[in-house]
Amino acid sequence: EFRFRHGYCKSNPRKMVKTWAEKEMRNLRRLHAAGIPSPEPILLKNHILVMQFIGANGWPAPRLKDAHLSDRRLAECYWHCVRYMRRMFQVCKLVHGDLSEYNMLYLNDDAADHCGLYFIDVSQSVEHDHPHAAEFLRKDCANVNAFFGRGGRLRPMSTRQLYEFVVDDALLEEEEEARLTAIQREVETDYDGSAQLETRAVDEAVFMSTFLPRSLSE
């Protein structure tokens, strides 16, 4: 792992992996407690983490990248993903840190009480007050929007809109759906005309390069 590149436990790599497995188990438990679909952690022994198998009939669920979704399913997964990102930040107090189509699974299960999207690989997730949490979250938002907006099959919100929806502490839980509905209407009008698309691209580039203060002093 990049943050251990200087050898956190160079002489004992198993101890390093044990620490990483412990962190993943803690984070998965927090996701499960918040109702975010993810593999349920079952047992941690030394450096080995046993977790729930996500799949059907012995076949693992594909990564979102490899799932063939209809336009309706794609939109459904996007808006669920947005909700899960906010819940992960507001309830779990975590930022995934590496969220993309590679770290989400899709299981087409009509019996499930959600769209079939699962978050995985939360060993690198950080607390919401981590020094780089805002930077990691902004990148997560950009990755998610880039995947779902690819090919023009779906109109995602802007990276800034997604970021602000996730971090808005003043937004009450019962107000979330109304806010998402308003954002969807706004997104539809934003895509009306190439000039607006160019403006949005510039706004995205500015937001991705803007310094995000974490405290009043900053």
Side-chain angles (χ1 to χ4, degrees), residues 17 89 148 174 201:
V17 177
F89 186 87
F148 282 100
E174 56 268 25

Side-chain angles (χ1 to χ4, degrees), residues 149-168:
R150 200 168 295 150
R153 296 172 58 201
L154 174 74
R155 297 177 176 181
M157 63 178 86
S158 70
T159 303
R160 180 188 287 274
Q161 283 175 315
L162 177 51
Y163 178 89
E164 290 177 349
F165 174 75
V166 170
V167 302
D168 187 357

Side-chain angles (χ1 to χ4, degrees), residues 12-116:
N12 189 353
R14 186 170 293 185
K15 182 180 177 184
M16 178 180 70
V17 177
K18 179 177 181 289
T19 302
W20 213 241
E22 289 169 350
K23 187 180 178 192
E24 174 136 26
M25 185 159 193
R26 285 197 306 270
N27 290 344
L28 282 174
R29 281 177 171 169
R30 287 161 81 167
L31 263 64
H32 256 265
I36 299 172
S38 53
E40 181 182 1
I42 297 169
L43 176 70
L44 175 66
K45 186 170 183 180
N46 296 323
H47 60 289
I48 298 170
L49 174 61
V50 179
M51 66 184 81
Q52 175 193 8
F53 175 76
I54 306 296
N57 301 318
W59 293 94
R63 294 177 299 180
L64 188 59
K65 168 186 176 292
D66 302 316
H68 302 290
L69 304 180
S70 65
D71 290 355
R72 183 180 67 83
R73 286 286 189 183
L74 189 73
E76 198 176 59
C77 283
Y78 176 67
W79 294 106
H80 272 81
C81 179
V82 166
R83 293 180 181 94
Y84 297 154
M85 290 173 71
R86 175 174 170 80
R87 199 181 305 171
M88 191 170 178
F89 186 87
Q90 297 290 339
V91 180
C92 304
K93 306 301 183 186
L94 290 173
V95 172
H96 189 287
D98 192 24
L99 191 63
S100 71
E101 64 271 27
Y102 294 91
N103 284 329
M104 287 185 270
L105 302 181
Y106 178 76
L107 180 62
N108 187 5
D109 183 3
D110 293 332
D113 59 353
H114 56 90
C115 69

